[in-house]
């Protein structure tokens, strides 16, 4: 038995949840916030059999899109502050798979 933690962009969360449900997987959905961009994410908890882990990951990967976003950046230099936008890649999914001994 495995427990999958999947952190996806909040913009993709409904699509991921629908796809998991459609394929017969139950998932717990948690609203989370990332530490780097302080933006909204959704963390899914999915329990499944060992042989179905790759299927769950494929579903999440298919419905979690990467995109670029402009974010403000602040640089410091001799007590002067300059803010300029920086393009970063967001989205996709960060996935952790853990062994479950008992639940």
């Amino acid at each position: 038995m495995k427990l999958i933690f999947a952190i996806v962009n909040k913009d993709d969360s409904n699509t991921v949840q629908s796809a998991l449900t459609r394929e017969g997987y139950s998932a717990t959905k948690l609203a989370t916030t990332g530490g780097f961009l302080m933006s909204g994410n959704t963390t899914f908890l999915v329990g499944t059999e060992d042989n179905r882990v790759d299927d769950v990951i494929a579903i999440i990967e298919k419905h979690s899109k990467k995109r670029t976003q402009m974010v403000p950046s602040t640089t410091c230099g001799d007590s002067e502050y300059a803010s300029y936008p920086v393009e970063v890649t967001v989205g996709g999914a960060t996935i952790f798979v853990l062994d479950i001994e008992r639940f």
Side-chain angles (χ1 to χ4, degrees):
M1 196 73 180
K2 302 288 186 188
L3 177 61
I4 301 169
F5 285 86
I7 304 165
V8 302
N9 188 285
K10 70 178 178 183
D11 296 336
D12 297 325
S13 66
N14 289 334
T15 307
V16 170
Q17 184 177 24
S18 295
L20 288 170
T21 301
R22 190 172 42 254
E23 295 297 325
Y25 295 99
S26 296
T28 299
K29 182 179 170 182
L30 305 170
T32 54
T33 302
F36 176 61
L37 297 175
M38 303 302 278
S39 62
N41 295 316
T42 299
T43 300
F44 289 96
L45 308 176
V46 183
T48 190
E49 300 299 326
D50 293 11
N51 62 337
R52 299 182 77 191
V53 169
D54 290 336
D55 294 335
V56 173
I57 292 173
I59 291 167
I60 295 166
E61 182 180 49
K62 180 178 179 182
H63 298 283
S64 299
K65 306 297 181 207
K66 287 188 178 182
R67 55 188 72 75
T68 58
Q69 178 179 325
M70 298 301 284
V71 296
S73 174
T74 304
T75 58
C76 300
D78 296 334
S79 68
E80 288 186 47
Y81 296 93
S83 183
Y84 55 92
V86 175
E87 187 174 53
V88 297
T89 301
V90 297
T94 301
I95 299 173
F96 301 92
V97 180
L98 305 169
D99 290 322
I100 302 298
E101 289 182 27
R102 189 172 113 183
F103 68 94

